[in-house]
Amino acid sequence: MYNSRIAGLGAYVPENIVTNDDLSKLMDTNDAWIQERTGIKERRHIKKGDGNSTAKMGVKAATIAIERAGLTNKDIDMIVFATLSPDYYFPGCGVQVQHLMDMETVPALDVRNQCSGFVYALATADQFIKTGMYKNVLVIGAENHSGGLDFTTRGRSVSVIFGDGAGAAVLTREEDPTKGILSSHLHSQGEHALELSLRGPSTEQWVPEIIATNPTEDIPYYPYMNGQFVFKNAVVRFSEVIKEGLAKNNLTAADIDMLIPHQANLRIAQFVQKKFGLTDDQVFNNIQKYGNTTAASIPIALTEAWEKGKVKEGDTVVLAAFGSGFTWASSIIKW
């Protein structure tokens, strides 16, 4: 059995910056209200005609990651693409990446675990490498939220949170069992599936049915979130899954060199930081600049932390996420 290590990281966000003040012109909100509840100051949104989509942003992030790994597109053996906002209902974004990057006819797998998507995708790629089936796996998390949000006062509790962007990592075979991904921990609790969801269009309520009912409230094709309920569950599950990973590897919170939490809400990250007694130097947050980019948030943050020299060889890095499903997950990595 091999280990897998992250050999290259890359990230991309659209150039279009949308501030809280910009949103206040579209809905009844303000900068102070948004920052107090989420910690977000601005986010990036795709602009129509700027050439971006979920898959294309993924390609931009992947191109950087592959180059930093010292590989070429032809060296990639598999693609794992995590997103809740694919360009099409089907097919998934993975096959688009394979085509756009002119790769061999490698397998392309799409992961639909929303905010936990990148950690789930990383764990999936890790297993393919561990067994020796593949050597180099490209893992992407990318989201185009802005195209499907309700930018009216009705949708403000959700729409102020999310941004667009992509992050990517190249996993490669590691012979040293003490390096790379040490363990992954994945969970779900479907009884709370509808507390954070987008229910339509779907086969449960297809386009003709939505058009026929013409709803003006509780519109199924806009996201719904029970914010307080999600928050309460998130702080519990974040803590549990981090503890699980540390215990598996005989580590304590003091051994964490860098925690990269999913950028859901700065208040959640601060709560978890305080619970584990971590310093500001042990936790990396960038939700202030990018909002919640769901499956893209951890790879964007991990890339930025690495670029700033906050993630170094030999460091113990913890990734943790919680989101729709409910799903939650962690990865313990020796860099």
Side-chain angles (χ1 to χ4, degrees), residues 130-145:
K130 269 184 165 58
T131 61
M133 186 169 181
Y134 297 120
K135 184 179 180 181
N136 300 310
V137 181
L138 172 64
V139 183
I140 300 172
E143 304 288 2
N144 171 13
H145 290 121

Side-chain angles (χ1 to χ4, degrees), residues 98-120:
Q98 181 273 332
H99 169 64
L100 290 168
M101 300 192 75
D102 191 29
M103 293 180 176
E104 305 295 339
T105 56
V106 299
L109 174 66
D110 287 70
V111 172
R112 297 292 298 276
N113 283 86
Q114 295 65 252
C115 297
S116 303
F118 183 79
V119 183
Y120 266 75

